[in-house]
Amino acid sequence: AVKTIAQTAIDSLVMPVCTGWTFETDTDPGAGQADHVISEKRRDYAEYDRANLLDGLTALQSRVGLLEEAKLIRLDGSGTTNPSKFFWQVISLFEARAKPPVKMTYRAVGSGTGQHEFIGTNNGYMPYDQDFGSGDIPIGSSDYTALNTAGHEIMHFPFQMGAMSIFHNIPGIPKSG
């Protein structure tokens, strides 16, 4: 009974007359968009969108790979205590914004120790794990020449100026008021 009802429903359907389907063999402008044309070469939007998504994903994977290959850059320094808070603030900003990532340290150990560690006189003019230094006293010309001769080109420049007070006590001179 169900089979008979289904067959009767199918037989009662009126199908539109089709002029016949054609296949587009070349990408002729407008031909693949005509009625009753099956295009071999044209893509629907979903296929186009997937291809663009895959291209974007491939580019993203390549960029992530490059970033993962980039190693953390370490920069260590030491020297005078006076600008240490300034250095630590600048280091914090630099680390937050640097690409590839950078980790910096600065030890406020005093100018003499900072120069000793940076110049490395007793280490064949190789710094003691220092990439930069800071001091109240400029690097002397003999140390500068020795560093350059050893193949360690350095940049030496002033970065900060501050006020300085001089106090004195000369016996026999009255205190001024």
Side-chain angles (χ1 to χ4, degrees), residues 6 18 20 25-26 28 38 56 58 63 68 84 88-89 106 109 121 126 131 133 139 150 152 158 160 162 170 172 177:
C18 179
T25 56
D26 197 7
D28 298 323
I38 298 173
T58 301
R63 179 75 175 130
E68 287 176 347
S84 60
W88 293 327
Q89 184 67 35
Y106 180 76
V109 295
T121 306
M126 286 292 296
D131 300 299
I139 293 177
H152 306 294
Q160 180 178 1
I170 301 175

Side-chain angles (χ1 to χ4, degrees), residues 7-49:
Q7 188 60 51
T8 304
I10 290 171
D11 292 342
S12 68
L13 292 174
V14 178
M15 300 300 285
V17 177
C18 179
T19 57
W21 290 90
T22 59
F23 288 91
E24 178 187 33
T25 56
D26 197 7
T27 310
D28 298 323
Q33 298 172 354
D35 291 339
H36 311 294
V37 176
I38 298 173
S39 176
E40 298 176 9
K41 297 183 177 182
R42 296 185 193 269
R43 302 184 301 174
D44 64 14
Y45 182 76
E47 183 182 356
Y48 168 79
D49 196 34

Side-chain angles (χ1 to χ4, degrees), residues 114-122 124-128 139-140 143 147:
Q115 274 199 14
H116 173 76
E117 291 178 350
F118 182 77
I119 295 172
T121 306
N122 299 331
Y125 286 95
M126 286 292 296
Y128 292 97
I139 293 177
D143 285 329
L147 284 166

